[in-house]
Amino acid sequence: MTSATTDIVKVPLRIAGSAADPASGRYIDKTQRLTGTTVASVAAADRTDAQRAADAAAQAAPAWAATPPARRREILETAAALLVERTESIAATMGREMGAAAGWCHFNAMLAANMLREAAAQVYSTVGQVIPSDVPGLTALAVREPVGVVVGIAPWNAPLILGVRAIAMPLAFGNTVVLKASEETPATHAAIIDCLIDAGLPAGAANLITNSPEDAAEVVDALIAHPAVRVINFTGSTNVGRIIAEKAGRHLKRAVMELGGKAPFVVLADADLEAAAAAASFGAFMNQGQICMSTERIIVDRSVAEEFTRLLTERASQLVVGDPQEPTTQLGPLVHEGSVAHVSALVQDAVDNGATVLTGGEADGLFFPATVLTGVTKAARVYTEESFGPLAPIIEVDGVEEAIEVANDSAYGLSAALFTGDTSRGLALAKQIQSGICHINGATVHDEAQMPFGGVKASGFGRFGSEASLQEFTELRWITVSTEERHYPI
């Protein structure tokens, strides 16, 4: 396809409440992978700009922490309203940048607005407690206070949801933030900061850094090293998460990590197979499988595997792959050529190790159809490696015990699902699955703003959402008041 340069959006930095050019004056082109069209001219920040943004957040921190909760709530609610009001424009920007289908873009906007509303609802939750003391006349208080500056590093695959999640709760609890945008979706992440600034957020309370891909490591290093930054809030791959956690550890800073996943989807012999197939199709193929919670391993009791596989294959074969701007499209392109190569290699490796492709399996440029693989064994890479693509590998097991064993046979532990006709047994089995999230008779892909979201093992640590965020983005302090004369031994 030929490249075009119409309707190019300029994406400057946002520092101290204003648009700002990078210190170098350098801007880079962000192109739509599918067409080669330039969609944005993006500020290419360097280490100096990262320090400027963190400086601005540090300067704004005392005033924002002292801002009454009612005012913080008002600003966050207004930002949510602005996001809803601007949904069509922001969703279109997101679609152009990452090639997502319209349904995924609009869902992102809806949930992101809900996250801002939920953050607004939590501004009064920083309550402490009075702790009984054994010292006469001593009142002991446990008090929650903001940590200071939080750096949010958000990925491209759900840019509105994860961009808002990176900063909304920290702001609600009185912290200031720097959002480090994804190189794939800088204009989408910029739109979030614009909603907050336009809602009345004080200058410097929320700042935006964008950068060229080759400068990402240096920019992140500068943000983590800044003395005012106290928490790094990262969502992304496990490999990058390890690097960020190591850097944070060297500076004795807290990190909240939501990393990769390899979500198991267990189908027991007594499951409703139609419902299970519908949930598995949604979980495996929504947004081309490019979701941290995507169904990555379908573990089916052998007694029902044939029928379940037929139902899932039928659904997968009917999904519409095509231009993300077309309203009928259900699967758009993968994010880039590297992703296509990775998914293709996983399919070929599975076939080489005895698996059969029942539908899909071959790329067409950046497009990859919904693919169902049966006969998958531990020998195949797709058994252990995160595909981040529209693959549904089916693993047959004999009985419940083997199903749970296979579900836990992974380095990851973010989301999981289990289908059974016996919900009491389902609850008991859910406790045996090693994951931060488990849905009984539901899809692995599910999120709500008020829920505690996060993983275990290589899927990260810490929790996002509602009250669960309180301990991540506040400090618990012990303060005492003595009202009687104390006797000291020396």
Side-chain angles (χ1 to χ4, degrees):
M1 298 182 180
T2 59
S3 176
T5 56
T6 57
D7 300 321
I8 299 173
V9 177
K10 185 176 181 180
V11 184
L13 308 175
R14 272 72 167 174
I15 297 178
S18 300
D21 291 325
S24 66
R26 185 165 69 101
Y27 280 74
I28 59 169
D29 288 342
K30 162 60 186 160
T31 60
Q32 187 182 64
R33 302 274 186 169
L34 187 61
T35 63
T37 301
T38 300
V39 295
S41 177
V42 182
D46 58 17
R47 191 178 193 93
T48 301
D49 299 308
Q51 292 168 342
R52 287 168 58 204
D55 284 344
Q59 186 173 355
W64 180 243
T67 299
R71 177 57 181 156
R72 279 187 263 135
R73 180 176 62 183
E74 180 185 10
I75 290 170
L76 289 165
E77 287 177 342
T78 302
L82 288 172
L83 182 53
V84 171
E85 181 182 309
R86 299 171 184 179
T87 288
E88 291 301 324
S89 173
I90 295 175
T93 296
M94 175 180 158
R96 285 192 297 271
E97 285 193 308
M98 66 168 287
W104 181 241
C105 297
H106 282 81
F107 175 77
N108 259 250
M110 181 273 292
L111 183 53
N114 284 347
M115 286 177 163
L116 286 166
R117 295 187 190 103
E118 180 61 24
Q122 291 299 321
V123 297
Y124 289 103
S125 67
T126 53
V127 294
Q129 63 180 137
V130 178
I131 304 172
S133 171
D134 291 326
V135 177
L138 188 74
T139 301
L141 307 174
V143 179
R144 288 279 180 188
E145 295 183 355
V147 297
V149 178
V150 175
V151 168
I153 303 175
W156 54 266
N157 60 313
L160 289 172
I161 294 170
L162 300 178
V164 167
R165 193 179 74 179
I167 59 175
M169 284 296 178
L171 285 169
F173 299 140
N175 303 288
T176 55
V177 299
V178 178
L179 178 60
K180 210 295 286 184
S182 165
E183 294 85 4
E184 294 290 342
T185 55
T188 305
H189 283 151
I192 297 168
I193 300 298
D194 288 345
C195 285
L196 287 162
I197 292 173
D198 293 346
L201 196 70
N207 306 273
L208 177 80
I209 289 292
T210 58
N211 56 271
S212 63
E214 63 270 20
D215 294 332
E218 188 70 11
V219 166
V220 170
D221 184 76
L223 290 170
I224 294 173
H226 194 284
V229 171
R230 300 313 311 158
V231 176
I232 297 88
N233 182 1
F234 173 77
T235 300
S237 73
T238 297
N239 288 340
V240 176
R242 283 194 179 97
I243 295 169
I244 290 174
E246 288 170 2
K247 287 180 179 291
R250 285 200 295 272
H251 292 281
L252 297 179
K253 296 183 180 182
R254 198 186 312 172
V256 184
M257 298 271 160
E258 195 253 281
L259 307 175
K262 191 70 181 170
F265 184 100
V266 177
V267 183
L268 300 182
D270 63 347
D272 179 333
L273 299 183
E274 288 278 4
S281 178
F282 171 74
F285 305 131
M286 185 66 185
N287 194 36
Q288 300 78 251
Q290 299 174 131
I291 303 173
C292 54
M293 301 169 282
S294 289
T295 298
E296 289 262 349
R297 293 173 296 145
I298 301 177
I299 303 160
V300 188
D301 191 280
R302 203 176 307 277
S303 64
V304 295
E306 183 178 352
E307 177 62 10
F308 172 84
T309 300
R310 183 188 67 80
L311 292 169
L312 178 59
T313 303
E314 185 177 278
R315 283 181 169 273
S317 65
Q318 294 174 0
L319 293 175
V320 179
V321 182
D323 185 343
Q325 296 187 23
E326 290 294 329
T328 56
T329 293
Q330 294 168 299
L331 272 71
L334 294 182
V335 63
H336 49 54
E337 292 80 1
S339 180
V340 175
H342 173 66
V343 174
S344 298
L346 289 179
V347 172
Q348 185 59 56
D349 175 79
V351 171
D352 291 345
N353 282 283
T356 301
V357 177
L358 298 182
T359 187
E362 293 187 7
D364 178 11
L366 287 176
F367 295 104
F368 207 101
T371 299
V372 178
L373 296 161
T374 191
V376 174
T377 68
K378 198 169 184 176
R381 289 170 52 197
V382 76
Y383 182 96
T384 54
E385 292 184 31
E386 184 178 23
S387 70
F388 226 59
L391 305 185
I394 296 176
I395 303 160
E396 296 185 16
V397 295
D398 293 307
V400 174
E401 186 175 330
E402 187 181 0
I404 300 303
E405 181 182 340
V406 173
N408 290 335
D409 188 19
S410 173
Y412 298 101
L414 182 58
S415 186
L418 186 146
F419 269 75
T420 176
D422 184 342
T423 53
S424 295
R425 181 173 69 159
L427 284 167
L429 293 174
K431 294 178 182 179
Q432 299 178 35
I433 295 176
Q434 298 164 359
S435 64
I437 304 160
C438 186
H439 303 293
I440 299 167
N441 295 334
T444 61
V445 174
H446 180 69
D447 194 9
E448 296 181 55
Q450 72 275 23
M451 301 301 176
F453 189 100
V456 299
K457 302 196 289 188
S459 289
F461 42 80
R463 293 295 180 268
F464 304 92
S466 196
E467 295 179 12
S469 296
L470 184 61
Q471 62 183 321
E472 311 293 353
F473 304 115
T474 60
E475 296 286 5
L476 184 61
R477 299 188 63 208
W478 177 31
I479 298 175
T480 68
V481 178
S482 186
T483 58
E484 294 184 17
E485 185 176 348
R486 294 280 301 275
H487 173 73
Y488 301 100
I490 60 172

